[in-house]
């Protein structure tokens, strides 16, 4: 998968399309919750396979953390390590900006995935957009 930091309106449109497909259509998150005020200032990434957008994420810097958000892979492309590639690309950006810690709110069904990548749970379970989550961190 080729991962790009979004630089054009077309790339942003493709990233939003992946997010809307996964979170709104598949997971039934409301569009108003999925696209929020942080999208205007976040760094967005989009992943391509054969010139098709199949993955997306966004990255923000909050306190001492690079905060990984909205990480998603289209259903038909899951199980091929694209999620791990997206996380690695985000972690590289975090380090390049001089930050040493990553943070994310993980859907509880994805806990084993994030644990394999070295993330540790630091919160109890909470609901976000009707989906159980926990907060996780990693020293980079």
């Amino acid at each position: 998968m080729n991962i790009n930091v979004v630089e054009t309106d077309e790339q942003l449109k493709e990233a939003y399309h992946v997010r809307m497909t996964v979170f709104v259509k598949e997971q039934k998150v409301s569009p108003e919750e999925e696209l929020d005020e942080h999208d205007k200032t976040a760094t967005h990434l989009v992943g391509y396979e054969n010139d098709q957008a199949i993955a997306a994420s966004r990255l923000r810097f909050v306190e001492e953390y690079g905060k990984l958000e909205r990480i998603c892979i289209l259903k038909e492309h899951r199980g091929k390590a694209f999620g791990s590639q997206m996380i690695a690309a985000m972690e590289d950006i975090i380090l390049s900006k001089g930050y040493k810690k990553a943070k994310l709110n993980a859907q509880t069904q994805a806990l084993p995935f994030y644990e394999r990548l070295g993330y540790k749970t630091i919160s109890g379970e909470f609901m976000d957009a009707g989906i159980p989550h926990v907060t996780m961190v990693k020293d980079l």
Side-chain angles (χ1 to χ4, degrees), residues 66 90-92 94-95 99-102 119 138-140:
M90 297 173 83
E91 290 174 349
D92 287 346
I94 292 168
L95 288 169
Y99 288 78
K100 303 284 187 229
K101 295 179 182 182
Y119 285 82
K138 177 180 176 180
D139 291 326
L140 302 177

Side-chain angles (χ1 to χ4, degrees), residues 1-3 18 22-23 45-49 54-58 68-92 104 110 112-119 138:
M1 176 173 69
N2 296 320
I3 300 171
V18 173
V22 172
F23 294 122
L45 289 86
V46 62
Y48 296 94
E49 185 75 358
I54 63 161
S57 65
R58 78 176 186 195
L68 291 70
E69 299 177 328
R70 306 300 203 268
I71 303 156
C72 55
I73 311 295
L74 292 177
K75 192 173 200 171
E76 58 271 22
H77 296 280
R78 293 181 196 150
K80 302 175 184 175
F82 294 145
S84 299
Q85 291 174 39
M86 184 65 79
I87 300 294
M90 297 173 83
E91 290 174 349
D92 287 346
L104 56 86
F113 167 75
Y114 290 112
E115 288 169 343
R116 280 194 304 275
L117 297 178
Y119 285 82
K138 177 180 176 180

Side-chain angles (χ1 to χ4, degrees), residues 65 101-104 114 118-122 135-139:
Y65 294 97
K101 295 179 182 182
K103 184 179 198 176
L104 56 86
Y114 290 112
Y119 285 82
K120 307 280 186 238
T121 301
I122 62 164
T135 300
M136 305 182 83
V137 296
K138 177 180 176 180
D139 291 326

Side-chain angles (χ1 to χ4, degrees), residues 3-124:
I3 300 171
N4 296 334
V5 172
V6 168
E7 295 179 351
T8 68
D9 289 342
E10 183 62 25
Q11 288 173 324
L12 186 59
K13 182 178 163 190
E14 292 172 331
Y16 285 167
H17 176 75
V18 173
R19 285 173 49 188
M20 296 298 275
T21 300
V22 172
F23 294 122
V24 176
K25 290 181 182 166
E26 183 182 331
Q27 296 187 347
K28 310 300 185 213
V29 173
S30 75
E32 298 77 24
E33 282 184 279
E34 175 50 33
L35 299 177
D36 65 19
E37 69 276 8
H38 300 300
D39 283 314
K40 291 177 183 69
T41 57
T43 299
H44 296 270
L45 289 86
V46 62
Y48 296 94
E49 185 75 358
N50 300 321
D51 295 323
Q52 179 193 359
I54 63 161
S57 65
R58 78 176 186 195
L59 178 61
R60 296 188 305 125
F61 294 92
V62 180
E63 298 161 354
E64 74 268 30
Y65 294 97
K67 190 162 188 270
L68 291 70
E69 299 177 328
R70 306 300 203 268
I71 303 156
C72 55
I73 311 295
L74 292 177
K75 192 173 200 171
E76 58 271 22
H77 296 280
R78 293 181 196 150
K80 302 175 184 175
F82 294 145
S84 299
Q85 291 174 39
M86 184 65 79
I87 300 294
M90 297 173 83
E91 290 174 349
D92 287 346
I93 293 170
I94 292 168
L95 288 169
S96 76
K97 301 283 186 190
Y99 288 78
K100 303 284 187 229
K101 295 179 182 182
K103 184 179 198 176
L104 56 86
N105 292 333
Q107 294 183 8
T108 55
Q109 54 88 13
L111 275 176
F113 167 75
Y114 290 112
E115 288 169 343
R116 280 194 304 275
L117 297 178
Y119 285 82
K120 307 280 186 238
T121 301
I122 62 164
S123 77

